[in-house]
Amino acid sequence: VTFTFKCMAAPVIETCHIACCANRTPNVLSWGRGGLIAYGTCYSVALYDPLVIYISQLKRVSVSLGSIFGGFVGWVECVGHTGPVCAVDAIHLDNNKLLIASTASDSTVRLWLHTGSKGKTWGLPIPNVNPFAFCYQEHNGGEVLSLQGHEDWIRGVEWTCVDGDLLLASCAQDCLIRVWKLVAKSGAEGDHLDVCTIRMWEDVFTLTESDASSLFAVTLETVLAGHENWVYGVHWQLPVIKGGRPQQSLSLLSASMDKTMILWAPEEGSGVWVEQVRVGEVGGNTLGFYGCQISPDGSMILAHAFHGALHLWARGQQVNWSPGVVISGHFSAVQDLCWDPEGEFVISVGSDQTARLLTPWKRKHQTQVKPSWHEISRPQIHGYDMQCLAMVGRFLYVSGADEKVLRVFRAPRNFVENFANISGAPLESLLVSELPEGASTPALGLSNKAVFQGTSIGDPSGFNGVSDQYRESYFHPLTLTEPPPEDHLLQNTLWPEVQKLYGHGFETFCLASDSQRTVVASACKASKAEHAAVLLWSATCWRQLQALPCHSLTVTQMSFSPDGRFLLAVSRDRTWSLWRRDSLPDTEPHFSLFTHTGKDTAVHTRIIWSCDWTSDSKFFVTSSRDRKVIVWGECSRPSDCPDEGPGIQPCSSILDVKESATAVSVCPFLCPDLSYLLAVGLDSGRILLYKWTPSGGSIGAEAADWSRYGETDVSQSHTLTVKRLRWRPRVGRAGQRDDGVGERAPADDVWVQLASAGADNSVRIFSVNREAA
């Protein structure tokens, strides 16, 4: 489902996909009665419909999200806690009142009463270490009862109402779940019981309101033992409406750090609580689940894991539960991303030490369903925070991390086959000979080792490789017709590492490759000129070709011109350098310094963060922390300039975007009026679209050559810094009829797509209308 946000009179930017995972904390996800899932992701709340597999986003400020999800606007802000808020819950009272309870690390519980016009609050202190479950009364604000039994920290509690009685489920780090029953008692109850009567131990307490007292008793209903590690979450199935009355199903779901969820319910007849369903992961080196939820109709269960991943299981017709398709994303800042040369998928890398591949999923035999974006491979799971990557072919890329080594990865056969199944691409056009079947990572290793189809003694799967001695890291070939679940992404979608590149003295920082996929440029972190040189590598033999010294501090980004004749580098030293290819087309690449800015000629006064080229290789653009975006050129006439000091100057007026411009990218396709379309990413997370028309402008001239074309609204923007922007190399929308591949739709020249990476852990795919007014 494509959700349109109107930025101007005509739709300019549409959000196609937001890849984001849940925050790595308990109590961060809720499944509403209307079917929507809400979860915290970085500084935002994501709204996710698991049936149509679409995600939108809410933020702290007021925002309307349109007709699909209804109107969501900022309602009230509760201010009072002095520390991070850890959990909230709410209940509707009589007279349209809303009671909200919140807990925070400031050691208080606060109750917020909203009456429609005014709200009142009061805070209750709680112990820093809480091995008990407490009950509080509303009117006096005091503790009335302490329920003892758990032997370690309580991690979750949840109430439900059954036939007028209240049931409280609690879970703890003692690996147990306790269900408590709270009932109302009459004052004379128990007066006529015989002394020999055996009954459950009761904790009795009294509540007084308006001089009237009520007696209540709490008993331990059951203790559920089945998990082998800390139990972090419990959740009752919501009541369903039958015959106009709510009916509560006694189904309790629990989630644990043992990587399992268990659905509990009392047996018919005996009433003994037993385990009905157990789902989860087996093996691997990941941690378990932070929380769980049941869908309103009880047909699906969902968990969110320690690393933010969502795990969904759906009940089949014969009470069999199977994994479902969910949204996924990075759980730390996304540092870089890149489209493949055909524009059919995006690979992103981040500080969560992973590389992730997103592509549209085309449902076979469901042509009326629009493709939705999903992660179908995790090519690299590393031991260092990843910083950069560059595509060197259709299924070949180079990545850099917080290490001195560059690593080259090639897609295995099993991925190519599954990519064809999911994306709808013809398999015969993708396969090449001598591909390994898959890859696996040895224990304590950082390199993905190729796994080939063959014969291995004692291995019934028929595959062998370096990982044969490490059973848990075995690769198992998959035949996929839909995006894989998290456990398969972790183990069975790796790409084998085919080469390591050594040469840098410090951690790699940025990468670039030329359009012919013959040269790769790399740079590392540097505080001295001797380490700031750009290294060039052959993409055929992976040999180092050159070192290009010019800058004195870290080169922050590089870009080859589309015609392959120039390499542009920008740096923390506030300057840029331009290198020209001297070699003939059929000879080994060789570059020499063409021109550069220095301290006296620099226009930018702060770090230059980003750079890019226009599609005709005539101009390049730079963006900086000094809020300036500048177009330079013209570079298409090197023969008209002397070899020494060619005069490449700013050829646009200075565009002031009012805050640090951290990313810039030029659309590879011109607008109908032959202007260039640029996307500028800001430190605040917003993305601005500008049209630039060459007009011979210069520094200090009026900005008549720039025109604002659009911008992301508050629900589309990142909540933290935009780290990278990349336009799709084809017109149209990936996965749809106007995707630039195969059958074309009438509007194929209207849309282009933009991918963005943010420090808010998200990857976003936008469709931009080049013909909007």
Side-chain angles (χ1 to χ4, degrees):
V1 175
T2 300
F3 185 32
T4 302
F5 296 83
K6 293 186 177 180
C7 301
M8 301 179 67
V12 175
I13 304 176
E14 293 184 354
T15 303
C16 294
H17 182 67
I18 303 175
C20 57
C21 69
N23 287 336
R24 300 171 62 192
T25 181
N27 308 309
V28 77
L29 184 145
S30 179
W31 202 327
R33 297 179 184 271
L36 284 182
I37 297 170
Y39 63 88
T41 174
C42 195
Y43 294 170
S44 303
V45 175
L47 296 181
Y48 166 43
D49 190 337
L51 298 181
V52 298
I53 313 177
Y54 176 80
I55 194 167
S56 185
Q57 187 173 358
L58 287 177
K59 299 190 179 180
R60 181 172 175 267
V61 298
S62 301
V63 54
S64 176
L65 291 180
S67 59
I68 293 180
F69 297 132
F72 290 90
V73 295
W75 186 25
V76 66
E77 185 173 318
C78 302
V79 179
H81 284 295
T82 58
V85 179
C86 304
V88 293
D89 202 358
I91 186 173
H92 282 282
L93 304 177
D94 295 335
N95 301 322
N96 200 29
K97 295 180 180 179
L98 182 68
L99 180 65
I100 302 173
S102 60
T103 65
S105 60
D106 58 7
S107 301
T108 63
V109 175
R110 289 183 177 268
L111 301 180
W112 316 81
L113 181 63
H114 191 273
T115 61
S117 58
K118 295 182 179 180
K120 65 176 181 179
T121 67
W122 61 94
L124 302 174
I126 61 174
N128 288 330
V129 179
N130 177 15
F132 312 111
F134 288 91
C135 295
Y136 292 98
Q137 60 176 337
E138 175 185 352
H139 296 281
N140 296 333
E143 175 189 332
V144 296
L145 185 64
S146 174
L147 303 178
Q148 302 188 26
H150 285 293
E151 299 178 353
D152 208 333
W153 283 21
I154 292 176
R155 287 298 182 177
V157 292
E158 183 159 319
W159 291 97
T160 191
C161 182
V162 180
D163 299 328
D165 297 334
L166 292 177
L167 292 180
L168 174 66
S170 61
C171 60
Q173 292 179 184
D174 59 7
C175 309
L176 298 177
I177 302 162
R178 292 177 175 262
V179 180
W180 315 80
K181 187 175 184 178
L182 188 152
V183 298
K185 299 175 65 69
S186 63
E189 186 174 347
D191 293 344
H192 304 290
L193 291 176
D194 188 88
V195 294
C196 297
T197 301
I198 299 176
R199 54 178 178 170
M200 293 288 294
W201 176 267
E202 294 181 343
D203 289 303
V204 181
F205 62 95
T206 302
L207 294 181
T208 302
E209 181 180 2
S210 301
D211 298 328
S213 298
S214 300
L215 189 65
F216 296 89
V218 179
T219 61
L220 180 63
E221 178 77 4
T222 185
V223 178
L224 306 177
H227 289 293
E228 299 177 355
N229 207 327
W230 296 359
V231 185
Y232 260 93
V234 286
H235 179 66
W236 295 99
Q237 181 179 343
L238 295 175
V240 295
I241 305 299
K242 293 184 179 180
R245 301 184 61 183
Q247 296 186 11
Q248 176 65 53
S249 172
L250 276 182
S251 294
L252 178 65
L253 182 67
S254 61
S256 168
M257 276 291 161
D258 64 7
K259 297 188 287 189
T260 65
M261 285 196 296
I262 300 178
L263 195 60
W264 309 85
E267 278 187 327
E268 294 185 8
S270 67
V272 177
W273 286 77
V274 296
E275 173 186 319
Q276 289 191 327
V277 176
R278 181 188 291 259
V279 297
E281 297 183 9
V282 178
N285 56 359
T286 59
L287 295 176
F289 299 146
Y290 262 147
C292 56
Q293 293 280 292
I294 309 177
S295 65
D297 62 358
S299 64
M300 292 183 286
I301 55 178
L302 179 74
H304 61 100
F306 180 82
H307 286 142
L310 302 182
H311 299 255
L312 178 73
W313 280 268
R315 183 174 56 201
Q317 296 181 350
Q318 298 181 352
V319 200
N320 294 322
W321 293 78
S322 58
V325 177
V326 291
I327 297 293
S328 63
H330 291 273
F331 59 83
S332 192
V334 186
Q335 300 292 346
D336 199 0
L337 53 74
C338 193
W339 292 87
D340 80 290
E342 299 299 321
E344 293 186 351
F345 61 82
V346 172
I347 298 183
S348 58
V349 296
S351 299
D352 61 356
Q353 304 181 352
T354 66
R356 300 172 185 246
L357 189 148
L358 297 169
T359 193
W361 173 29
K362 291 183 179 179
R363 282 78 158 176
K364 291 184 178 179
H365 313 301
Q366 299 183 33
T367 56
Q368 73 279 5
V369 179
K370 290 186 178 180
S372 56
W373 285 77
H374 294 275
E375 181 183 357
I376 67 166
S377 177
R378 203 161 294 172
Q380 188 177 1
I381 301 176
H382 204 26
Y384 295 95
D385 292 2
M386 301 190 66
Q387 293 292 336
C388 52
L389 86 158
M391 296 297 300
V392 195
R394 183 72 184 279
F395 299 115
L396 183 69
Y397 77 88
V398 184
S399 69
D402 283 345
E403 58 174 343
K404 304 174 185 179
V405 184
L406 297 171
R407 299 173 186 265
V408 186
F409 294 85
R410 186 185 300 276
R413 176 179 295 272
N414 191 238
F415 165 79
V416 176
E417 294 171 346
N418 290 325
F419 172 75
N421 292 339
I422 294 173
S423 67
L427 178 61
E428 58 274 6
S429 64
L430 304 177
L431 282 176
V432 297
S433 60
E434 298 182 358
L435 285 178
E437 192 67 23
S440 62
T441 303
L444 304 179
L446 296 177
S447 301
N448 297 349
K449 302 300 183 182
V451 177
F452 295 88
Q453 190 167 9
T455 303
S456 180
I457 298 176
D459 182 7
S461 68
F463 293 87
N464 59 29
V466 179
S467 63
D468 283 350
Q469 55 186 311
Y470 305 105
R471 291 289 177 178
E472 281 197 353
S473 64
Y474 259 141
F475 160 76
H476 300 281
L478 305 172
T479 300
L480 300 174
T481 57
E482 63 182 21
E486 180 71 11
D487 55 338
H488 285 313
L489 286 171
L490 288 170
Q491 181 170 322
N492 300 318
T493 65
L494 294 170
W495 291 16
E497 181 182 310
V498 297
Q499 193 71 41
K500 291 184 180 70
L501 308 180
Y502 299 91
H504 288 293
F506 289 93
E507 298 92 335
T508 54
F509 195 81
C510 61
L511 282 163
S513 63
D514 66 340
S515 57
Q516 292 79 26
R517 315 296 172 185
T518 59
V519 183
V520 174
S522 63
C524 70
K525 295 179 181 179
S527 58
K528 298 179 180 179
E530 60 185 289
H531 303 298
V534 174
L535 300 186
L536 298 184
W537 310 84
S538 169
T540 55
C541 63
W542 300 113
R543 181 173 61 86
Q544 182 177 327
L545 301 176
Q546 281 182 270
L548 308 179
C550 180
H551 296 282
S552 58
L553 294 175
T554 304
V555 172
T556 54
Q557 201 167 106
M558 300 174 292
S559 180
F560 285 91
S561 61
D563 61 9
R565 297 170 60 192
F566 293 98
L567 170 63
L568 173 66
V570 296
S571 171
R572 287 181 179 270
D573 63 11
R574 309 174 186 180
T575 67
W576 54 258
S577 60
L578 188 63
W579 304 81
R580 183 174 62 182
R581 185 168 182 162
D582 301 326
S583 56
L584 298 175
D586 296 332
T587 60
E588 187 176 84
H590 184 274
F591 285 77
S592 60
L593 184 62
F594 185 59
T595 187
H596 67 96
T597 54
K599 293 183 178 180
D600 299 333
T601 58
V603 178
H604 289 294
T605 58
R606 302 292 298 276
I607 294 172
I608 305 177
W609 281 123
S610 185
C611 63
D612 199 13
W613 287 85
T614 59
S615 57
D616 53 16
S617 301
K618 291 182 179 180
F619 309 99
F620 63 86
V621 59
T622 57
S623 66
S624 169
R625 183 182 286 176
D626 62 8
R627 310 184 306 180
K628 299 174 184 176
V629 177
I630 303 173
V631 180
W632 306 76
E634 181 172 341
C635 305
S636 60
R637 301 170 296 173
S639 59
D640 299 336
C641 302
D643 290 337
E644 297 296 332
I648 293 181
Q649 299 294 330
C651 56
S652 74
S653 56
I654 294 179
L655 176 63
D656 188 348
V657 294
K658 308 303 181 184
E659 59 179 288
S660 177
T662 55
V664 67
S665 185
V666 184
C667 179
F669 308 100
L670 297 177
C671 294
D673 60 0
L674 301 183
S675 60
Y676 298 99
L677 179 61
L678 288 82
V680 181
L682 305 182
D683 193 48
S684 65
R686 290 190 303 149
I687 299 174
L688 310 180
L689 297 181
Y690 286 93
K691 292 170 68 175
W692 177 71
T693 304
S695 59
S698 59
I699 298 178
E702 295 184 1
D705 50 344
W706 293 101
S707 61
R708 176 75 70 89
Y709 190 63
E711 66 177 280
T712 54
D713 63 28
V714 68
S715 63
Q716 294 173 301
S717 302
H718 293 276
T719 54
L720 293 175
T721 305
V722 179
K723 304 293 289 187
R724 187 69 159 174
L725 294 172
R726 296 268 198 171
W727 292 93
R728 184 172 182 254
R730 287 181 177 269
V731 294
R733 292 167 288 192
Q736 300 190 28
R737 288 186 60 202
D738 59 354
D739 66 353
V741 180
E743 183 182 2
R744 304 289 292 275
D748 58 358
D749 292 330
V750 173
W751 296 99
V752 288
Q753 286 190 305
L754 176 69
S756 67
D760 61 353
N761 313 346
S762 69
V763 172
R764 297 163 189 256
I765 310 292
F766 302 103
S767 290
V768 177
N769 187 342
R770 293 183 298 137
E771 296 184 359

